[in-house]
Amino acid sequence: MPRITYVNGQYLPHREAAVHVEDRGYQFADGVYEVIAVRGGGLVDEDHHLDRLDRSLGELRLAAPVSGQPLKFIMREIIRRNRVRDGKVYLQITRGVAPRDHPFPAGAESSLVVYALPVRQPDPETGLKGISVVTVPDIRWRRCDIKSISLLPNVLAKQSALDSGAGDAWLVDDDGVITEGSAANAWIVTKDGDLITRHLDNFILGGITRIAVIELAEKAGVRLVERAFSVEEAKQAKEAFLTSSTSYVKPVVAIDDTVIGNGEAGEVTRGLYHAYEAHMDAQGANGAAD
Ligand code: PDD
Protein backbone atom coordinates (compact mmCIF):
# COMPACT_ATOMS: atom_id res chain seq x y z
CA MET A 1 0.00 0.00 0.00
CA PRO A 2 1.58 3.34 -1.05
CA ARG A 3 2.08 5.99 1.60
CA ILE A 4 -0.05 9.07 1.02
CA THR A 5 0.90 12.58 2.14
CA TYR A 6 -1.19 15.74 2.08
CA VAL A 7 0.45 18.82 0.53
CA ASN A 8 -1.53 22.01 -0.04
CA GLY A 9 -4.84 20.52 -1.04
CA GLN A 10 -3.58 17.30 -2.62
CA TYR A 11 -3.20 13.74 -1.39
CA LEU A 12 0.00 12.58 -3.07
CA PRO A 13 2.14 9.44 -3.12
CA HIS A 14 4.70 10.14 -0.38
CA ARG A 15 7.62 10.01 -2.79
CA GLU A 16 6.08 12.83 -4.86
CA ALA A 17 5.15 14.96 -1.85
CA ALA A 18 7.33 18.08 -1.90
CA VAL A 19 7.38 21.82 -1.39
CA HIS A 20 9.25 24.43 -3.43
CA VAL A 21 12.91 25.30 -2.69
CA GLU A 22 11.77 28.85 -1.87
CA ASP A 23 9.32 27.68 0.75
CA ARG A 24 10.05 29.86 3.79
CA GLY A 25 10.07 26.81 6.01
CA TYR A 26 13.02 25.49 4.03
CA GLN A 27 14.90 28.81 3.88
CA PHE A 28 14.05 30.50 7.20
CA ALA A 29 12.46 27.78 9.37
CA ASP A 30 9.50 30.17 9.16
CA GLY A 31 6.80 27.78 10.29
CA VAL A 32 5.22 25.72 13.03
CA TYR A 33 4.36 22.07 13.51
CA GLU A 34 2.54 19.53 15.64
CA VAL A 35 3.14 15.86 16.33
CA ILE A 36 0.02 14.04 17.51
CA ALA A 37 -0.04 10.46 18.76
CA VAL A 38 -2.46 8.09 17.06
CA ARG A 39 -3.84 5.24 19.17
CA GLY A 40 -6.44 2.78 17.93
CA GLY A 41 -6.99 5.03 14.90
CA GLY A 42 -7.83 8.04 17.10
CA LEU A 43 -5.86 11.26 17.60
CA VAL A 44 -4.70 11.63 21.19
CA ASP A 45 -5.72 14.98 22.73
CA GLU A 46 -6.42 16.42 19.29
CA ASP A 47 -8.15 19.58 20.52
CA HIS A 48 -5.26 20.52 22.81
CA HIS A 49 -2.86 20.09 19.88
CA LEU A 50 -5.02 22.25 17.62
CA ASP A 51 -5.30 24.92 20.33
CA ARG A 52 -1.50 24.97 20.66
CA LEU A 53 -1.15 25.11 16.88
CA ASP A 54 -3.45 28.18 16.78
CA ARG A 55 -1.39 29.80 19.49
CA SER A 56 1.92 29.13 17.70
CA LEU A 57 0.46 30.50 14.46
CA GLY A 58 -0.84 33.59 16.25
CA GLU A 59 2.51 34.31 17.92
CA LEU A 60 4.21 34.21 14.50
CA ARG A 61 1.38 36.10 12.74
CA LEU A 62 1.05 33.17 10.38
CA ALA A 63 -2.32 32.45 8.75
CA ALA A 64 -3.49 28.84 8.68
CA PRO A 65 -4.41 27.71 5.16
CA VAL A 66 -6.90 25.29 6.75
CA SER A 67 -8.09 25.04 10.34
CA GLY A 68 -10.87 23.66 12.51
CA GLN A 69 -13.08 20.91 11.05
CA PRO A 70 -11.43 20.85 7.59
CA LEU A 71 -8.03 20.32 9.24
CA LYS A 72 -9.49 17.57 11.44
CA PHE A 73 -10.90 15.98 8.31
CA ILE A 74 -7.51 16.02 6.54
CA MET A 75 -5.81 14.37 9.53
CA ARG A 76 -8.46 11.65 9.66
CA GLU A 77 -8.21 11.15 5.92
CA ILE A 78 -4.43 10.78 6.18
CA ILE A 79 -4.80 8.25 9.01
CA ARG A 80 -7.42 6.35 7.00
CA ARG A 81 -5.57 6.38 3.67
CA ASN A 82 -2.37 5.18 5.36
CA ARG A 83 -4.25 2.69 7.54
CA VAL A 84 -2.49 3.86 10.68
CA ARG A 85 -3.86 2.34 13.88
CA ASP A 86 -1.05 3.22 16.25
CA GLY A 87 1.51 5.84 15.35
CA LYS A 88 1.63 9.57 14.83
CA VAL A 89 0.51 12.42 12.62
CA TYR A 90 2.98 15.14 11.63
CA LEU A 91 1.55 18.49 10.57
CA GLN A 92 3.50 21.53 9.43
CA ILE A 93 2.45 25.01 8.36
CA THR A 94 4.95 27.46 6.87
CA ARG A 95 4.63 31.00 5.56
CA GLY A 96 4.67 29.64 2.02
CA VAL A 97 6.69 30.24 -1.12
CA ALA A 98 8.19 33.64 -1.96
CA PRO A 99 11.48 35.04 -3.29
CA ARG A 100 13.99 34.86 -0.43
CA ASP A 101 13.77 38.06 1.62
CA HIS A 102 13.47 38.40 5.37
CA PRO A 103 10.23 40.42 5.76
CA PHE A 104 6.89 38.63 5.63
CA PRO A 105 6.06 38.31 1.91
CA ALA A 106 2.96 40.11 0.71
CA GLY A 107 0.41 37.75 -0.75
CA ALA A 108 2.21 34.44 -0.19
CA GLU A 109 -0.09 31.58 0.73
CA SER A 110 0.94 29.50 3.71
CA SER A 111 1.79 25.83 3.08
CA LEU A 112 0.28 22.85 4.87
CA VAL A 113 1.80 19.37 4.96
CA VAL A 114 0.24 16.45 6.85
CA TYR A 115 1.44 12.87 6.98
CA ALA A 116 1.02 9.86 9.23
CA LEU A 117 3.33 7.04 10.25
CA PRO A 118 2.69 3.78 12.04
CA VAL A 119 4.79 3.30 15.17
CA ARG A 120 5.16 0.00 16.98
CA GLN A 121 3.75 0.56 20.46
CA PRO A 122 6.00 -0.53 23.33
CA ASP A 123 4.91 -3.32 25.64
CA PRO A 124 5.13 -2.27 29.31
CA GLU A 125 8.49 -3.98 29.77
CA THR A 126 10.04 -2.01 26.90
CA GLY A 127 8.16 1.18 27.70
CA LEU A 128 9.23 1.13 31.32
CA LYS A 129 12.86 0.42 30.54
CA GLY A 130 14.50 3.64 31.52
CA ILE A 131 16.92 5.75 29.54
CA SER A 132 19.84 7.83 30.68
CA VAL A 133 20.03 11.52 29.82
CA VAL A 134 22.95 13.89 29.58
CA THR A 135 22.74 17.55 30.44
CA VAL A 136 23.78 20.09 27.80
CA PRO A 137 23.59 23.89 27.68
CA ASP A 138 20.25 25.22 26.47
CA ILE A 139 21.34 27.43 23.56
CA ARG A 140 17.83 28.04 22.15
CA TRP A 141 16.01 31.34 21.61
CA ARG A 142 13.64 32.94 24.13
CA ARG A 143 10.38 31.78 22.57
CA CYS A 144 10.55 28.04 23.15
CA ASP A 145 6.83 28.21 23.99
CA ILE A 146 6.17 28.44 20.23
CA LYS A 147 6.24 25.06 18.48
CA SER A 148 8.47 26.40 15.72
CA ILE A 149 10.14 24.16 13.14
CA SER A 150 13.43 25.87 13.98
CA LEU A 151 14.95 22.94 15.90
CA LEU A 152 18.68 23.06 15.24
CA PRO A 153 19.71 23.39 18.93
CA ASN A 154 17.37 20.49 19.73
CA VAL A 155 18.90 18.40 16.95
CA LEU A 156 22.44 19.15 18.19
CA ALA A 157 21.46 18.32 21.78
CA LYS A 158 19.89 15.00 20.80
CA GLN A 159 22.85 14.05 18.64
CA SER A 160 25.33 14.82 21.41
CA ALA A 161 23.25 12.64 23.75
CA LEU A 162 23.31 9.73 21.30
CA ASP A 163 27.04 10.26 20.65
CA SER A 164 27.70 9.82 24.36
CA GLY A 165 25.57 6.71 24.60
CA ALA A 166 22.58 8.36 26.32
CA GLY A 167 18.95 8.31 25.21
CA ASP A 168 18.23 12.03 25.39
CA ALA A 169 19.60 15.39 26.42
CA TRP A 170 18.13 17.62 29.11
CA LEU A 171 18.77 21.29 28.45
CA VAL A 172 20.25 23.49 31.16
CA ASP A 173 20.08 27.30 31.38
CA ASP A 174 22.85 29.65 32.57
CA ASP A 175 21.74 29.23 36.22
CA GLY A 176 22.08 25.44 36.19
CA VAL A 177 18.31 24.97 35.89
CA ILE A 178 16.86 22.26 33.65
CA THR A 179 14.39 23.70 31.17
CA GLU A 180 13.23 20.58 29.30
CA GLY A 181 14.41 17.72 27.10
CA SER A 182 15.52 18.04 23.48
CA ALA A 183 12.00 17.02 22.40
CA ALA A 184 10.16 16.34 25.65
CA ASN A 185 9.23 17.85 29.01
CA ALA A 186 11.30 16.91 32.06
CA TRP A 187 9.95 15.70 35.41
CA ILE A 188 11.34 14.57 38.75
CA VAL A 189 9.90 13.07 41.93
CA THR A 190 11.55 14.36 45.10
CA LYS A 191 12.44 12.23 48.11
CA ASP A 192 9.25 13.63 49.73
CA GLY A 193 7.18 12.25 46.86
CA ASP A 194 6.40 15.61 45.21
CA LEU A 195 6.10 15.50 41.44
CA ILE A 196 7.92 18.46 39.91
CA THR A 197 7.86 19.82 36.38
CA ARG A 198 8.85 23.27 35.24
CA HIS A 199 6.17 25.97 35.24
CA LEU A 200 5.10 27.22 31.81
CA ASP A 201 6.99 30.21 30.47
CA ASN A 202 8.83 31.24 27.30
CA PHE A 203 11.68 28.82 27.98
CA ILE A 204 9.80 25.56 27.48
CA LEU A 205 7.19 24.14 25.19
CA GLY A 206 3.84 23.58 26.89
CA GLY A 207 3.61 19.86 26.18
CA ILE A 208 0.22 18.32 25.48
CA THR A 209 1.37 15.12 27.20
CA ARG A 210 2.35 17.35 30.12
CA ILE A 211 -1.27 18.57 30.40
CA ALA A 212 -2.59 15.00 30.45
CA VAL A 213 0.01 13.79 32.94
CA ILE A 214 -0.73 16.68 35.30
CA GLU A 215 -4.42 15.71 35.27
CA LEU A 216 -3.61 12.02 35.76
CA ALA A 217 -1.25 12.81 38.65
CA GLU A 218 -3.91 14.92 40.34
CA LYS A 219 -6.46 12.15 39.92
CA ALA A 220 -4.00 9.68 41.45
CA GLY A 221 -3.49 11.97 44.45
CA VAL A 222 0.16 12.72 43.63
CA ARG A 223 1.26 16.14 44.93
CA LEU A 224 2.28 18.23 41.93
CA VAL A 225 4.41 21.37 41.96
CA GLU A 226 5.08 23.34 38.78
CA ARG A 227 8.45 24.99 39.34
CA ALA A 228 11.97 25.09 38.00
CA PHE A 229 14.48 22.52 39.27
CA SER A 230 18.25 22.44 38.99
CA VAL A 231 20.56 19.74 37.67
CA GLU A 232 21.75 19.18 41.25
CA GLU A 233 18.20 18.68 42.53
CA ALA A 234 17.39 16.35 39.64
CA LYS A 235 20.41 14.20 40.41
CA GLN A 236 19.20 13.77 43.98
CA ALA A 237 15.64 12.95 42.93
CA LYS A 238 13.97 9.67 43.76
CA GLU A 239 12.57 9.32 40.24
CA ALA A 240 12.77 11.12 36.92
CA PHE A 241 10.97 10.81 33.60
CA LEU A 242 10.16 12.69 30.44
CA THR A 243 6.96 13.11 28.46
CA SER A 244 6.09 13.73 24.83
CA SER A 245 3.65 12.66 22.14
CA THR A 246 6.22 10.21 20.80
CA SER A 247 7.89 9.04 24.03
CA TYR A 248 4.68 9.08 26.16
CA VAL A 249 5.85 8.68 29.80
CA LYS A 250 9.47 7.52 29.66
CA PRO A 251 11.50 6.75 32.80
CA VAL A 252 14.90 8.42 33.19
CA VAL A 253 17.20 6.26 35.30
CA ALA A 254 20.45 8.21 35.08
CA ILE A 255 21.37 11.86 34.63
CA ASP A 256 24.95 12.31 33.41
CA ASP A 257 26.75 9.73 35.54
CA THR A 258 24.35 9.81 38.46
CA VAL A 259 21.94 6.91 38.87
CA ILE A 260 18.43 8.04 39.84
CA GLY A 261 16.71 6.08 42.60
CA ASN A 262 17.58 2.42 42.27
CA GLY A 263 18.25 2.72 38.53
CA GLU A 264 14.80 1.52 37.50
CA ALA A 265 11.47 3.20 36.83
CA GLY A 266 10.06 4.32 40.18
CA GLU A 267 6.58 3.87 41.61
CA VAL A 268 5.13 7.26 40.62
CA THR A 269 6.59 6.95 37.12
CA ARG A 270 5.13 3.47 36.69
CA GLY A 271 1.71 4.63 37.84
CA LEU A 272 1.74 7.56 35.42
CA TYR A 273 3.04 5.37 32.59
CA HIS A 274 0.06 3.04 32.93
CA ALA A 275 -2.39 5.88 33.46
CA TYR A 276 -1.16 7.62 30.31
CA GLU A 277 -1.38 4.39 28.31
CA ALA A 278 -5.00 4.05 29.43
CA HIS A 279 -5.59 7.72 28.56
CA MET A 280 -4.35 7.07 25.01
CA ASP A 281 -6.26 3.81 24.65
CA ALA A 282 -9.48 5.56 25.66
CA GLN A 283 -9.20 7.88 22.65
CA GLY A 284 -9.10 5.12 20.03
CA ALA A 285 -12.74 5.72 19.17
CA ASN A 286 -12.43 9.31 17.93
CA GLY A 287 -10.84 8.32 14.61
CA ALA A 288 -12.30 7.98 11.13
CA ALA A 289 -15.84 7.62 12.46
CA ASP A 290 -16.05 11.36 13.32
N1 PDD B 1 8.30 17.21 20.52
N2 PDD B 1 9.39 20.07 24.54
C1 PDD B 1 9.91 20.06 23.30
C2 PDD B 1 11.10 20.89 23.00
C3 PDD B 1 9.32 19.25 22.32
O1 PDD B 1 9.83 19.24 21.07
C4 PDD B 1 8.22 18.43 22.65
C5 PDD B 1 7.54 17.54 21.64
C6 PDD B 1 7.71 18.48 23.97
C7 PDD B 1 6.53 17.67 24.40
O2 PDD B 1 5.36 18.14 23.81
P1 PDD B 1 4.14 17.16 23.55
O3 PDD B 1 3.84 16.50 24.84
O4 PDD B 1 3.05 18.08 23.12
O5 PDD B 1 4.54 16.17 22.48
C8 PDD B 1 8.33 19.32 24.87
C9 PDD B 1 7.73 16.47 19.42
C10 PDD B 1 7.19 15.14 19.84
C11 PDD B 1 8.74 16.38 18.29
O6 PDD B 1 9.38 17.39 18.06
O7 PDD B 1 8.85 15.35 17.64
Side-chain angles (χ1 to χ4, degrees):
M1 192 193 63
R3 262 185 81 191
I4 302 294
T5 289
Y6 176 95
V7 184
N8 294 327
Q10 289 185 294
Y11 294 90
L12 299 169
H14 189 65
R15 112 185 79 76
E16 290 165 30
V19 292
H20 194 270
V21 290
E22 285 188 316
D23 187 279
R24 289 179 64 92
Y26 183 61
Q27 295 193 322
F28 292 111
D30 187 357
V32 299
Y33 76 108
E34 283 293 329
V35 180
I36 310 180
V38 177
R39 184 55 79 87
L43 289 151
V44 175
D45 293 335
E46 177 183 29
D47 287 338
H48 282 314
H49 281 279
L50 293 184
D51 287 350
R52 182 173 66 186
L53 177 65
D54 278 349
R55 180 175 181 279
S56 297
L57 289 165
E59 292 298 309
L60 298 183
R61 291 192 279 150
L62 225 165
V66 182
S67 59
Q69 282 305 328
L71 182 55
K72 288 185 172 187
F73 175 82
I74 292 166
M75 290 195 287
R76 280 161 179 66
E77 197 57 14
I78 278 296
I79 291 170
R80 189 184 68 78
R81 290 189 189 217
N82 290 282
R83 295 198 199 143
V84 174
R85 258 199 86 62
D86 299 322
K88 60 187 172 187
V89 163
Y90 179 83
L91 179 166
Q92 175 172 311
I93 295 173
T94 68
R95 210 178 301 274
V97 178
R100 187 181 179 282
D101 199 7
H102 288 67
F104 294 173
E109 278 178 34
S110 48
S111 301
L112 169 64
V113 170
V114 183
Y115 61 79
L117 280 173
V119 178
R120 187 188 291 274
Q121 300 299 290
D123 54 47
E125 200 187 330
T126 317
L128 282 165
K129 209 166 156 281
I131 59 162
S132 56
V133 300
V134 288
T135 57
V136 301
D138 189 345
I139 58 170
R140 299 175 301 164
W141 71 332
R142 295 181 200 183
R143 290 307 308 272
C144 299
D145 56 312
I146 300 170
K147 200 159 173 62
S148 139
I149 57 172
S150 172
L151 291 173
L152 196 47
N154 309 61
V155 167
L156 295 175
K158 182 78 175 194
Q159 189 58 43
S160 75
L162 298 190
D163 289 347
S164 60
D168 198 9
W170 277 8
L171 313 178
V172 182
D173 73 11
D174 292 347
D175 299 323
V177 167
I178 291 170
T179 49
E180 60 182 334
S182 71
N185 290 114
W187 306 67
I188 57 170
V189 179
T190 64
K191 296 234 157 61
D192 299 332
D194 288 355
L195 177 62
I196 317 286
T197 194
R198 189 194 173 89
H199 55 282
L200 295 179
D201 60 13
N202 289 359
F203 297 97
I204 66 166
L205 182 74
I208 304 305
T209 321
R210 179 183 179 281
I211 297 174
V213 168
I214 286 175
E215 282 174 15
L216 295 167
E218 281 168 355
K219 260 192 220 155
V222 177
R223 214 166 37 238
L224 173 93
V225 189
E226 292 179 64
R227 65 162 172 83
F229 57 89
S230 68
V231 176
E232 280 324 301
E233 184 178 8
K235 286 183 177 174
Q236 284 162 28
K238 191 155 80 172
E239 302 181 28
F241 63 91
L242 55 82
T243 58
S244 79
S245 299
T246 50
S247 293
Y248 316 141
V249 172
K250 186 174 285 241
V252 168
V253 294
I255 301 174
D256 297 329
D257 288 328
T258 306
V259 173
I260 305 302
N262 63 1
E264 286 182 6
E267 200 184 313
V268 174
T269 307
R270 282 172 180 277
L272 291 171
Y273 172 91
H274 290 296
Y276 189 67
E277 282 291 315
H279 172 76
M280 288 197 288
D281 286 342
Q283 300 186 49
N286 77 357
D290 260 19

